[in-house]
């Protein structure tokens, strides 16, 4: 049986990823209510806006709640939370790839998706 310590690189990577994938979704989720970092509704593809009820800002409120819940899930159950965040990021990527001009953000989110999957795998050790 392997004993992991705070000096173990895998443990350090796990702690870093767990921290980031807890804090970032919660902060970004909260910002969906205030639009301090960016005007979030502009990131909503028109085809998604046409199928969700309400305004784009209302959709962002729902997105914000989901992101906050995902961040909390990473904190309490990183194996499953990492998978939920990865799936959520895949949805964001699909949205961004159908919205011209945001391909760079989609690529960044793909990197985050890979990080979320790595977190989930590290939580299994």
């Amino acid at each position: 049986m392997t004993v992991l310590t705070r000096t173990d690189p895998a443990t350090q990577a796990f702690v870093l990823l767990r921290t980031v994938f807890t804090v970032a979704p919660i902060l970004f989720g909260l910002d969906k209510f205030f639009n301090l970092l960016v005007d979030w509704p502009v990131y909503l593809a028109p085809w998604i806006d046409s199928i969700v009820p309400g305004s784009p800002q209302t959709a962002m409120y729902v997105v914000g709640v989901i992101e906050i819940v995902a961040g909390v899930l990473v904190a309490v159950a990183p194996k499953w939370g990492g998978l939920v965040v990865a799936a959520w990021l895949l949805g964001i990527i699909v949205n961004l790839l159908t919205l011209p001009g945001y391909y760079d953000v989609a690529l960044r989110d793909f990197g985050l998706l890979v990080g979320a999957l790595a977190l989930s795998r590290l939580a299994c050790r």
Side-chain angles (χ1 to χ4, degrees):
M1 176 177 220
T2 304
V3 177
L4 301 175
T5 65
R6 289 183 294 172
T7 59
D8 174 61
T11 300
Q12 293 172 347
F14 172 76
V15 170
L16 285 169
L17 289 168
R18 186 178 189 178
T19 301
V20 167
F21 283 109
T22 294
V23 173
I26 291 171
L27 290 178
F28 287 130
L30 287 171
D31 194 54
K32 299 299 189 290
F33 293 90
F34 305 105
N35 294 308
L36 296 174
L37 298 172
V38 69
D39 184 21
W40 292 106
V42 302
Y43 288 94
L44 188 63
W47 71 272
I48 294 177
D49 184 32
S50 71
I51 61 175
V52 296
S55 68
Q57 183 59 54
T58 302
M60 288 300 119
Y61 294 149
V62 173
V63 166
V65 170
I66 293 169
E67 289 176 345
I68 292 165
V69 169
V72 171
L73 184 59
V74 167
V76 299
K79 176 182 175 182
W80 300 108
L83 293 174
V84 168
V85 169
W88 184 249
L89 284 163
L90 181 60
I92 292 170
I93 291 165
V94 168
N95 170 73
L96 292 171
L97 289 176
T98 63
L99 189 62
Y102 294 97
Y103 304 130
D104 57 332
V105 181
L107 181 59
R108 179 213 55 202
D109 285 353
F110 178 73
L112 290 171
L113 182 152
V114 172
L117 291 175
L119 168 65
S120 179
R121 290 299 299 139
L122 286 168
C124 294
R125 53 184 174 80

